[in-house]
Each structure stands twice: as C-alpha cells, then as structure tokens.
Amino acid sequence: MDNLEEIVVSAAADFAGALESAKLEEAKARYLGKDGSLTALLKGLGKLAAEERKAAGAAINAAKEKVEAALAARREALRQAQLEAQLAAEALDVTLPGRGQSRGGLHPVSRTLERIEHLFRSIGFEVADGPEIETDWHNFTALNTPANHPARSMHDTFYLLDDSGKVREDVLLRTHTSPVQIRYMQDHVARHAHLETMPEIRVIAPGRVYRVDSDATHSPMFHQVEGLWVGENVSFADLKGVVADFLRRFFESDDLKVRFRPSFFPFTEPSAEIDVAFMHGALEGRWLEIAGCGMVHPNVLRCGGIDPEKYTGFAFGMGPDRLTMLRYGINDLRLFFEGDLRFLSQFQ
C-alpha cells in the first residue's frame, strides 16, 4: 500500500516508453493483468481487517484509475501517430494531372450487327424490329409450321406462364426473327393496299432469339438476322447474288467461295443451306455452314397478306454470333455472354 504512488509513476513511464501497441499491451499486463502489481494488491484486500479494507480498496482503485487513464492516453497517442504516418505515406500530390477514365467499346456482336445493317442498307434494305415475346401464330403457324409439325421440335423453346402459373401454349419467346417478316408484310400490305402494284419489300430483321441449347457453339439466347425481298419476278438468282455479295463484303474477301446446298425449311421452297470456304487463314479450304435461305413459301406469303400468284420473294437467315466468331477468330460462343473484361477489351 505504501508503494501505490510509485506504481502509478512507474506505469506511466512504462506506457510512455512503449513505441508500438504490442509493447504497450505488455506493459499493461505488468500492472493490470492477471498477475499485475495492482491486481495483486486487490486480491490481498481479503487479508485486511474490515476497517482497513475499505480505505485500502479506495486507494487501490484510485491508483488503478490513474494507470488506466495513462494507458488510454498512450493508446490514443499511438493511434494518432499511426494515422499520421499512414497519411504521410499515402499523401497525394494534388498538382499532378488527373488519371484519365478508360473508355469502353462496343461488344463484338454489336459491332457485327452494325456492320451487317450498314452493308444491307447500302443495297436498299430497311431494318425492321419486332417483339421478342411472340404468339404461336406469328412464330410457327404463319411460317407454314402448324401444330404438331415435326419441324417444331427443332425449335423447342421457352413458353410463358399465365397468371395461375400454367404454361400458355400460345405465347413464347421467339425462336427466330422470322415473325418480324410476317408483321412487316402485313403492315406493308396495309399501307399500300390502295395501289395496283405493291412496292417491293426489302428488309432485314436482326435481334435476339431463344432456344433450349447451350454448349461451346450454342447458347439459349443468341442473335439472328433474317432478310426478306418480295416483289414481282424476284428469283433464286437474286437471292444468290445478294447473299454472295454480302458475305464477300462482310469478310472483305473477293476470293471467298460460296455454295448453296439443297435443304429443307417449312417456310421456303426450294430451300438451301449456304456454305462458305475461305481461301486463306486458319480455315483455308474448309466449307462452313453459314446461313439458310430459300424462296418464300406461298403459304407464308398468304399469311402476310400477299398474293403468291403475283409476287415472289426470297428469305435468308444467319447468325451474327457465328459471323463474329469467324471474323475475329473466336472459338467459344460463351465468351460473348460472360462479361469478362479481358476478352471484351480487345474490341475497344
């Protein structure tokens, strides 16, 4: 009890000599820890007589408060010193010029869509748009694919639910952009019904489409561009000329080989697959399927409100995602949808 003041002075000196938090905590333990000097005095109060215990306890607690105050002051001083050192280390030179913001760029598929639209506009085609949620009639029936037609299984897709949670069989996410062609023909006929001869329809329909498929070369959501040319005396020769010219201009290769291979689509007759072969590069000499095409089926023209006895037309459809992969040498379609900046920054 006679050494209380010495303990307080000694504790204050030890605290002041601690230059880091760990040393300060070691010093604290010598006075306030489980085996500290003040803690030992408090434990010894039980050995004193009752009349002495009260006065001794008050003196020890007063000394403890002084030690704790010195400890708190030193902790704050160390914290402040650490903060000042950190601020000094992280000081900013406000006279330096600001760092410029990095600029973003168009997605590679967006670049391809812009290029496709530009090339077709240059030969007189318009760009049409339509809803991504379609009716069964526009998506299938009007395109000569009635209920239970086997071709529907190739487009197994996403049907929507009604308010009760049941699947609606008449509303779905479109599986191709062909419904835009039906809607455009109907609107075109309505606008020009008063004329004896209808102006030609030349239109492309780019947009997102949805099918149940997902791997390195397919995605449940992807892009499609479909084209339509309807008029008097439109022939398969016109189709071949338009598509072949577009592909050579798109890939900037006059020696690109293009072939039309007989195929089947319910909405065109006759129909063909379009293959290309590059004459140089990694794909040199290989034939690659690039699109589908054909003369518009008379039933489709009728659904669009057009007389198939007077007018003919051709249609084609291609995937901008695949065109993008070929143009930029990309080998995995999923890279388009992952949002990886390491990939996307290459196209800025």
Side-chain angles (χ1 to χ4, degrees):
M1 293 297 297
D2 296 336
N3 298 330
L4 279 177
E5 192 61 33
E6 293 180 10
I7 291 174
V8 172
V9 173
S10 177
D14 287 350
F15 295 161
L19 301 180
E20 54 187 32
S21 297
K23 295 297 182 182
L24 181 61
E25 296 307 312
E26 291 177 5
K28 169 196 170 184
R30 290 197 293 271
Y31 299 97
L32 301 175
K34 183 173 62 174
D35 298 321
S37 53
L38 284 176
T39 305
L41 290 175
L42 287 171
K43 290 179 179 179
L45 288 175
K47 300 177 181 179
L48 299 177
E51 59 275 10
E52 296 177 349
R53 191 181 306 145
K54 183 176 181 180
I60 294 171
N61 284 330
K64 182 179 178 182
E65 289 176 0
K66 292 179 181 179
V67 172
E68 289 176 341
L71 176 64
R74 186 55 182 166
R75 279 177 174 163
E76 178 60 23
L78 288 177
R79 189 193 68 79
Q80 192 64 32
Q82 183 181 10
L83 177 61
E84 291 176 358
Q86 182 179 355
L87 291 174
E90 298 176 357
L92 298 177
D93 185 351
V94 295
T95 64
L96 289 173
R99 295 186 179 92
Q101 292 288 334
S102 60
R103 298 184 63 183
L106 287 176
H107 192 281
V109 174
S110 297
R111 287 180 176 273
T112 296
L113 287 169
E114 284 193 355
R115 181 173 178 81
I116 292 172
E117 291 177 11
H118 171 75
L119 291 174
F120 276 106
R121 279 195 174 106
S122 71
I123 57 173
F125 279 71
E126 297 180 25
V127 177
D129 193 14
E132 295 182 15
I133 297 177
E134 266 296 1
T135 65
D136 179 273
W137 188 86
H138 286 93
N139 195 79
F140 291 124
T141 306
L143 295 165
N144 204 35
T145 314
N148 301 320
H149 193 290
R152 288 200 182 203
S153 63
M154 299 168 59
H155 296 76
D156 192 17
T157 186
F158 303 95
Y159 286 84
L160 276 65
L161 304 178
D162 60 19
D163 294 338
S164 65
K166 294 183 179 179
V167 175
R168 290 188 57 176
E169 297 183 357
D170 60 335
V171 180
L172 68 159
L173 296 180
R174 67 184 183 189
T175 61
H176 42 193
T177 58
S178 299
V180 179
Q181 299 178 9
I182 296 293
R183 293 179 180 275
Y184 191 92
M185 283 191 285
Q186 292 175 326
D187 291 343
H188 186 81
V189 170
R191 288 197 305 270
H192 302 290
H194 61 287
L195 300 176
E196 182 178 348
T197 300
M198 179 187 71
E200 286 189 339
I201 295 174
R202 278 182 285 179
V203 63
I204 62 169
R208 288 183 293 266
V209 298
Y210 305 85
R211 298 180 192 175
V212 182
D213 207 350
S214 182
D215 57 42
T217 58
H218 297 85
S219 167
M221 186 284 292
F222 58 99
H223 297 84
Q224 200 171 58
V225 172
E226 301 201 16
L228 177 69
W229 187 341
V230 176
E232 292 184 304
N233 303 315
V234 176
S235 68
F236 206 101
D238 298 315
L239 166 61
K240 293 178 70 173
V242 167
V243 172
D245 178 68
F246 162 74
L247 291 172
R248 292 188 177 106
R249 293 172 66 192
F250 179 85
F251 289 111
E252 300 177 278
S253 176
D254 291 333
D255 60 355
L256 183 76
K257 289 187 176 181
V258 181
R259 74 180 180 188
F260 292 78
R261 178 167 39 87
S263 185
F264 167 78
F265 301 108
F267 29 80
T268 54
E269 180 62 38
S271 305
E273 301 282 0
I274 304 171
D275 302 332
V276 298
F278 296 91
M279 294 297 100
H280 53 80
L283 299 174
E284 180 178 355
R286 289 178 54 190
W287 286 102
L288 300 172
E289 179 186 320
I290 204 78
C293 66
M295 299 301 293
V296 180
H297 197 287
N299 291 342
V300 176
L301 290 175
R302 290 190 187 97
C303 288
I306 295 174
D307 181 4
E309 299 297 327
K310 185 175 181 180
Y311 300 100
T312 57
F314 67 73
F316 58 85
M318 60 187 69
D321 302 324
R322 176 168 292 186
L323 294 178
T324 306
M325 295 174 73
L326 291 172
R327 180 170 171 79
Y328 295 112
I330 299 166
N331 60 6
D332 194 328
L333 181 71
R334 292 169 292 194
L335 290 169
F336 292 149
F337 309 109
E338 291 175 348
D340 190 330
L341 291 178
R342 294 171 300 177
F343 169 74
L344 297 175
S345 61
Q346 300 176 75
F347 303 93
Q348 292 181 7

